[in-house]
Amino acid sequence: MVTSASLPKTAAPGPGGERHECPVDAVLRLLMGPWTTYILYVLRTQGPRRFGELKREVGGISAKVLTERLRMLEEARLVHRDYQATIPPQVTYSLAARGAELNPMLDALKDIALRWQSEDAQAVSQQAISQQAAASTRQAAE
């Protein structure tokens, strides 16, 4: 089972040289695996999904990696796996209560990501304008 206790612990030195664990570290380590936040985002925004639906919506992920991520998220109790013994078997994944607790944090991260994307796009645009102006000035001077 993946829990905060089973993840590697990191500690930062305190002012007196003593080491203190960062309480956020375990959560971030859990979420930083490949595709993890994307899977949580899809389950959060699209609702419960069967494996094939989830694979289509998380474009580019392999079945093997999706299976690994879903198992890890299920062990961490962030995702609920509902198995129905039908023919063929029906397995549906949804956010568990613990996974839903991440919603405010994921919303805040989304807001930051969108703001940074906008800022980066503006910076690239400004840089392109500056380069064009510099090139025009050089051409006029020649």
Side-chain angles (χ1 to χ4, degrees):
M1 172 186 264
V2 177
T3 63
S4 58
S6 67
L7 291 170
K9 295 186 189 238
T10 57
E18 69 280 0
R19 300 191 71 77
H20 299 282
E21 291 180 28
C22 174
V24 178
D25 192 55
V27 173
L28 291 179
R29 285 178 182 269
L30 181 67
L31 296 176
M32 72 181 187
W35 301 101
T36 304
T37 53
Y38 199 169
I39 293 166
L40 292 172
Y41 175 79
V42 169
L43 290 175
R44 179 173 173 256
T45 58
Q46 305 298 317
R49 290 286 181 255
R50 292 182 67 179
F51 185 88
E53 294 172 314
L54 200 50
K55 186 173 181 313
R56 281 190 296 278
E57 291 182 32
V58 181
I61 192 169
S62 70
K64 177 185 175 193
V65 172
L66 180 56
T67 299
E68 289 171 358
R69 295 283 96 195
L70 286 169
R71 283 182 183 156
M72 184 271 306
L73 290 168
E74 185 182 8
E75 286 178 14
R77 300 180 317 212
L78 298 177
V79 167
H80 174 72
R81 180 179 184 264
D82 181 44
Y83 175 82
Q84 294 182 11
T86 58
I87 299 177
Q90 185 173 346
V91 179
T92 305
Y93 296 93
S94 60
L95 274 187
R98 196 174 199 187
E101 285 184 67
L102 296 171
N103 288 345
M105 182 206 57
L106 293 173
D107 284 340
L109 287 173
K110 180 189 79 173
D111 292 344
I112 291 169
L114 292 174
R115 187 179 74 242
W116 285 6
Q117 285 175 351
S118 176
E119 291 170 359
D120 292 348
Q122 288 176 351
V124 167
S125 177
Q126 287 297 325
Q127 185 178 15
I129 291 169
S130 297
Q131 289 173 347
Q132 288 175 348
S136 296
T137 302
R138 281 194 303 271
Q139 286 177 350
E142 292 175 353

